[in-house]
Amino acid sequence: MRSRFRSDRRLTARMGVTLFLLGLLYVGFVAALIVLLKSWVLVVVVAAGLLGAQYWFSDRVALFAMRGRVVEREEYPELHGVVDRLCAIADMPKPVVAVSDMEMPNAFATGRNPDHAVVCVTTGLLRRLEPDELEGVLAHELSHVAHKDVAVITVASFLGVIAGLIVRFAFYSQIFGGGRRDQNTAVVFAAVMGVSAAVYAISFLLIRALSRYRELAADRAAALLTGRPSVLASALTKVSGDIARIPTKDLRTAQAFNAFYFTPALGRGPSIGQLFSTHPSLEQRLEQLGRISAELGEAAAPGGA
């Protein structure tokens, strides 16, 4: 089913290229591990099993980690009303609606496809935003679902984790596995670590580049769907400013899910993490929304709107 969120061919192309490159990378990675560890069945079964679990259960894992719970219309009628209205405008299935009892103002979408999606907002976000600002944030999250980049970033992010898991397995199997120890053990271990480090570094950069672009694409799609980019800009400014005032220690748990958030959970001041952020800068996002606002204003002017 195609929604009325404007399609983004550049986003689709970037997702395809990223997955293709990651696929090549991990085929080579698994092949190298099979040669080095001499246990192709275990490597393939573990990698496939974990990837499948991440794809099918990512929504439940994310909700559990962020203390989110599914809420019914009777409990949050205004929230459901906004989601209903946006889904009707966008002509897309309504996702499961959830709320996380967290002071940090934020929102995220997850799920493997539009028919199995979850949109979650924090209570901190609900307390801070006006209804029209909330609509802009939810339109941003729904555009992730419509563009299917939620599933892509879920799979892509997971592939970076598998390298570390397999290295740990190799390390502990060498320590506790018993068997013959010889001079080749250190060479094999060093080779596995080297391959894993290279795979992680390359996948890290690919995923961050895709993540930053998909956030700009979601801002653009949300602004065009609602026709009010200034409202989304207001929500962005408010949420980013409030997150910056939350103590860093309270953000640490949330930072693992930055790739899925409306705005990243970053503390005050510059950090090395901001150099490799999952999101474009606030200035870049506001500049794009400003251009869209001008374009919509120019388009409306001849008609006397």
Side-chain angles (χ1 to χ4, degrees), residues 58-73 75-84 94-102 104 106-111 116-126 134 137-138 141-142 145 261:
S58 60
D59 52 347
R60 301 179 193 179
V61 172
L63 279 180
F64 176 79
M66 296 311 300
R67 304 194 303 272
R69 62 185 181 87
V70 176
V71 295
E72 301 300 331
R73 183 183 303 276
E75 190 174 1
Y76 284 90
E78 294 181 2
L79 175 61
H80 272 271
V82 174
V83 175
D84 286 336
K94 181 182 178 180
V96 172
V97 178
V99 170
S100 173
D101 188 15
M102 296 180 64
M104 178 187 70
N106 228 319
F108 66 91
T110 184
H116 299 85
V118 177
V119 172
C120 181
V121 299
T122 66
T123 52
L125 185 81
L126 294 175
L134 178 63
V137 172
L138 289 173
E141 297 303 328
L142 288 173
V145 175
Y261 283 138

Side-chain angles (χ1 to χ4, degrees), residues 45-277:
V45 168
V46 170
L50 290 175
L51 179 57
Q54 176 74 358
Y55 180 75
W56 287 97
F57 302 112
S58 60
D59 52 347
R60 301 179 193 179
V61 172
L63 279 180
F64 176 79
M66 296 311 300
R67 304 194 303 272
R69 62 185 181 87
V70 176
V71 295
E72 301 300 331
R73 183 183 303 276
E74 293 75 18
E75 190 174 1
Y76 284 90
E78 294 181 2
L79 175 61
H80 272 271
V82 174
V83 175
D84 286 336
R85 184 165 60 255
L86 287 172
C87 288
I89 295 172
D91 191 22
M92 63 182 292
K94 181 182 178 180
V96 172
V97 178
V99 170
S100 173
D101 188 15
M102 296 180 64
E103 180 60 24
M104 178 187 70
N106 228 319
F108 66 91
T110 184
R112 61 185 184 272
N113 57 48
D115 292 318
H116 299 85
V118 177
V119 172
C120 181
V121 299
T122 66
T123 52
L125 185 81
L126 294 175
R127 284 196 297 270
R128 287 171 170 84
L129 296 189
E130 299 297 326
D132 55 351
E133 294 172 332
L134 178 63
E135 182 179 71
V137 172
L138 289 173
H140 171 103
E141 297 303 328
L142 288 173
S143 75
H144 282 313
V145 175
H147 289 157
K148 299 182 176 64
D149 60 70
V150 172
V152 171
I153 206 70
T154 297
V155 172
S157 299
F158 169 76
L159 294 177
V161 175
I162 196 70
L165 292 177
I166 293 180
V167 166
R168 290 184 185 181
F169 164 76
F171 179 76
Y172 288 115
S173 67
Q174 290 296 330
I175 294 179
F176 301 112
R180 184 170 173 263
R181 300 287 195 275
D182 55 36
Q183 61 182 358
N184 290 331
T185 300
V187 175
V188 171
F189 178 74
V192 170
M193 290 293 291
V195 171
S196 175
V199 167
Y200 180 80
I202 296 171
S203 61
F204 180 91
L205 294 175
L206 287 172
I207 292 164
R208 291 306 187 274
L210 174 61
S211 182
R212 288 191 294 272
Y213 186 83
R214 85 182 189 110
E215 293 302 330
L216 288 173
D219 285 347
R220 185 164 52 248
L224 293 173
L225 182 76
T226 62
R228 295 190 292 175
S230 62
V231 171
L232 181 58
S234 173
L236 263 173
T237 303
K238 185 180 294 187
V239 170
S240 298
D242 286 350
I243 287 179
R245 287 191 287 270
I246 294 177
T248 302
K249 64 182 179 65
D250 295 334
L251 298 177
R252 287 173 184 163
T253 300
Q255 286 174 351
F257 294 89
N258 270 349
F260 296 93
Y261 283 138
F262 173 62
T263 53
L266 298 176
R268 304 178 185 86
S271 70
I272 194 68
Q274 289 174 320
L275 298 177
F276 303 101
S277 178

